[in-house]
C-alpha cells in the first residue's frame, strides 16, 4: 500500500498593524514558525508601509489599518499601536474575523478589557496579551519550583524594571496615549506577582514621580494579596537599565537576574538553607513563546497562557495604583 503523506500544517497568515519598533522582535519568530508566515503590514501612510515592507521583505503593504483588516488573506493581527489605541483596534480586529495578539498593556481601563473580552467571545476569535516573558522556560521553571514546594509558601515578590528613555519624542511620553513608566514597564512586575500569586491583589498603594511630559517618569508600588502576601516594585523611564526579581517563600527564595528579558546570561538562583543553587532552564528565543502559544490557541483550541482574566487583573491593578498615586491613599483593586 502506498504511504499516505500527512497533510501540511496550516500556516496562519500574520499582518502587522503598525510599523512600531517592537515589530522587529516578533517578525523573526513568526517567520521561524512552521505554523505561521508574515503576510502584510499596515500604516496610516502607504509610502511608509511600502518602505517598511521593502525593508523587512513583507509581501503586502497597506496604507490604512482598515485595509489590512478588510483583507481576506490575513488570519492573525499583531497589534502594536500605542497603548491608548489597543482596545479600539483589538475589537475591530476580531469583528473583521481576525485573531489578535495585543501588545502589552492590554488596555487602559477595566471597562475596555471587558468590551474586548465580550468581542472575542461574540466573534469566536482568539485575543491575547503579548507578555513574552510569561512563555519563557525560565519563568515556567520558577513557577514549577514554587508549585513543587521548593521555597515553601510564596509570601513576597519584589521586582524592578527601569531604563533610560533618551528620545524626546516618544508615544511613551504622551499621557493621552497611555504613556508613562507604569503602563510601559511597571506592568511586568505586576504581571509576575499576579502569576506567582494566582490572581490580582486586593489593595494597591503607589507613588509616582511626574515627568515634565505629564506621564509618570518613575513609579513605586506596593500590593497586598489575600493571605498576607505582598509585592513591591519600582519602574521608571529615567533611570539606568535595571531588571531583577526575587520571590520570597517561607523556606527559601528564588532570584531571577533577568526576569523580563531572559537570555543565555540569565540566572535563576534557588536559595535554601543558606546555600545557592543555580537552576537551569532551556534557552528559547524570547518572543517565540507568545507566537506559538497563539498558534496553539487558534489551531488546537488551547487556552492562551495569558488569559483574558489575567489581562483584566493586570489592568485593574495598574488603574488602582494610578488612583492611589493621585489620591495619596490605598485603593481596593476591582
Amino acid at each position: 500500500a502506498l504511504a499516505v503523506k500527512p497533510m501540511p500544517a496550516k500556516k496562519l497568515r500574520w499582518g502587522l498593524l503598525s510599523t512600531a519598533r517592537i515589530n522587529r522582535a516578533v517578525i523573526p519568530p513568526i517567520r521561524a514558525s512552521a505554523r505561521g508566515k508574515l503576510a502584510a503590514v499596515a500604516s496610516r501612510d502607504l509610502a511608509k508601509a511600502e518602505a517598511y515592507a521593502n525593508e523587512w521583505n513583507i509581501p503586502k503593504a497597506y496604507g490604512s489599518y482598515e485595509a489590512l483588516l478588510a483583507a481576506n488573506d490575513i488570519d492573525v493581527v499583531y497589534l502594536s499601536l500605542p497603548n491608548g489605541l489597543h482596545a479600539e483596534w483589538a475589537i475591530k480586529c476580531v469583528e473583521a474575523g481576525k485573531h489578535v495578539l495585543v501588545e502589552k498593556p492590554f488596555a487602559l481601563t477595566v471597562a475596555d478589557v471587558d468590551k474586548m473580552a465580550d468581542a472575542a467571545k461574540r466573534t469566536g476569535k482568539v485575543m491575547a496579551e503579548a507578555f513574552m516573558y510569561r512563555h519563557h522556560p525560565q519563568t515556567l521553571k520558577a513557577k514549577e519550583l514554587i508549585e513543587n514546594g521548593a521555597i515553601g509558601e510564596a509570601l513576597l515578590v519584589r521586582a524592578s524594571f527601569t531604563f533610560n528613555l533618551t528620545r524626546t519624542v516618544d508615544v511613551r511620553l504622551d499621557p493621552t496615549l497611555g504613556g508613562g513608566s507604569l503602563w510601559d514597564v511597571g506592568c511586568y512586575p505586576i504581571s509576575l506577582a499576579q502569576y506567582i500569586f494566582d490572581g490580582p491583589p486586593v489593595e494597591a498603594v503607589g507613588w509616582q514621580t511626574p515627568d515634565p511630559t505629564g506621564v509618570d517618569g518613575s513609579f513605586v508600588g506596593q500590593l497586598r494579596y489575600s493571605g498576607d502576601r505582598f509585592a513591591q516594585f519600582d519602574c521608571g523611564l529615567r533611570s539606568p537599565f535595571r531588571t531583577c526579581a526575587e520571590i520570597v517563600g517561607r523556606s527559601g527564595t528564588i532570584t531571577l537576574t533577568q526576569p523580563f528579558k531572559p537570555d543565555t546570561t540569565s540566572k535563576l538562583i534557588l536559595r535554601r538553607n543558606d546555600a545557592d543553587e543555580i537552576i537551569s532552564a532551556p534557552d528559547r528565543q524570547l518572543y517565540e513563546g507568545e507566537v506559538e502559544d497563539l498558534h496553539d490557541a487558534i489551531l488546537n483550541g488551547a487556552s492562551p497562557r495569558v488569559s483574558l482574566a489575567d489581562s483584566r487583573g493586570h489592568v485593574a491593578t495598574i488603574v488602582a495604583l494610578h488612583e492611589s498615586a493621585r489620591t495619596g491613599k490605598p485603593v481596593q483593586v476591582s
Side-chain angles (χ1 to χ4, degrees):
L2 294 175
V4 178
K5 293 183 179 180
M7 291 291 290
K10 175 179 172 60
K11 284 227 175 207
L12 294 169
R13 299 159 296 183
W14 286 71
L16 306 177
L17 202 67
S18 95
T19 56
R21 184 180 179 87
I22 187 65
N23 288 358
R24 65 186 63 192
V26 177
I27 289 173
I30 292 174
R31 287 194 161 136
S33 175
R35 299 182 291 178
K37 65 179 180 180
L38 185 55
V41 61
S43 171
R44 292 172 296 178
D45 181 297
L46 180 58
K48 185 176 181 180
E50 289 175 339
Y52 192 89
N54 182 63
E55 177 185 1
W56 290 97
N57 194 27
I58 301 172
K60 291 186 179 180
Y62 294 98
S64 73
Y65 305 144
E66 292 85 354
L68 185 144
L69 296 190
N72 59 14
D73 57 353
I74 298 295
D75 304 302
V76 191
V77 170
Y78 174 57
L79 199 166
S80 53
L81 292 168
N83 300 341
L85 302 177
H86 288 182
E88 173 189 354
W89 285 97
I91 291 170
K92 287 181 177 180
C93 284
V94 295
E95 288 181 342
K98 320 299 186 191
H99 306 282
V100 58
L101 180 63
V102 184
E103 188 50 55
K104 59 78 196 165
F106 197 62
L108 301 182
T109 69
V110 175
D112 275 345
V113 175
D114 291 341
K115 291 176 185 176
M116 295 161 78
D118 287 345
K121 182 178 180 180
R122 172 166 39 85
T123 60
K125 296 301 176 182
V126 177
M127 184 186 294
E129 186 173 18
F131 267 114
M132 74 295 193
Y133 85 96
R134 277 283 311 271
H135 307 273
H136 194 275
Q138 174 182 268
T139 310
L140 304 180
K141 174 58 72 171
K143 179 71 167 178
E144 177 188 315
L145 287 168
I146 294 166
E147 291 181 339
N148 290 340
I151 61 171
E153 181 188 6
L155 301 173
L156 173 68
V157 174
R158 298 194 302 177
S160 299
F161 198 164
T162 66
F163 72 103
N164 196 0
L165 180 59
T166 57
R167 292 194 293 276
T168 56
V169 178
D170 192 287
V171 294
R172 290 171 288 188
L173 300 176
D174 188 342
T176 66
L177 291 175
S181 67
L182 186 55
W183 285 116
D184 188 46
V185 287
C187 58
Y188 285 96
I190 289 165
S191 70
L192 176 64
Q194 180 171 307
Y195 180 48
I196 298 303
F197 291 142
D198 296 314
V202 297
E203 187 177 56
V205 182
W207 303 266
Q208 67 175 346
T209 302
D211 193 81
T213 62
V215 302
D216 56 292
S218 64
F219 203 101
V220 176
Q222 295 197 123
L223 305 170
R224 179 174 65 85
Y225 296 77
S226 60
D228 294 324
R229 300 171 299 167
F230 300 90
Q232 301 170 327
F233 74 92
D234 74 282
C235 59
L237 306 176
R238 303 298 191 185
S239 303
F241 179 76
R242 297 166 47 249
T243 174
C244 57
E246 181 187 36
I247 304 160
V248 181
R250 290 193 181 278
S251 57
T253 64
I254 292 172
T255 300
L256 303 169
T257 60
Q258 295 186 63
F260 308 121
K261 290 194 171 185
D263 58 23
T264 55
T265 68
S266 308
K267 289 184 174 62
L268 191 167
I269 305 167
L270 174 63
R271 185 172 181 80
R272 295 182 292 189
N273 302 318
D274 297 324
D276 291 346
E277 178 185 0
I278 296 179
I279 304 295
S280 63
D283 186 38
R284 188 181 197 183
Q285 201 280 338
L286 183 53
Y287 290 81
E288 177 188 347
E290 66 182 19
V291 169
E292 295 301 343
D293 183 73
L294 201 72
H295 288 167
D296 283 337
I298 296 168
L299 297 174
N300 303 327
S303 298
R305 181 169 282 124
V306 182
S307 69
L308 294 174
D310 287 337
S311 297
R312 193 180 197 278
H314 300 155
V315 173
T317 303
I318 294 175
V319 169
L321 283 162
H322 272 304
E323 179 68 8
S324 175
R326 186 185 69 82
T327 62
K329 299 176 181 179
V331 173
Q332 298 295 305
V333 178
S334 64

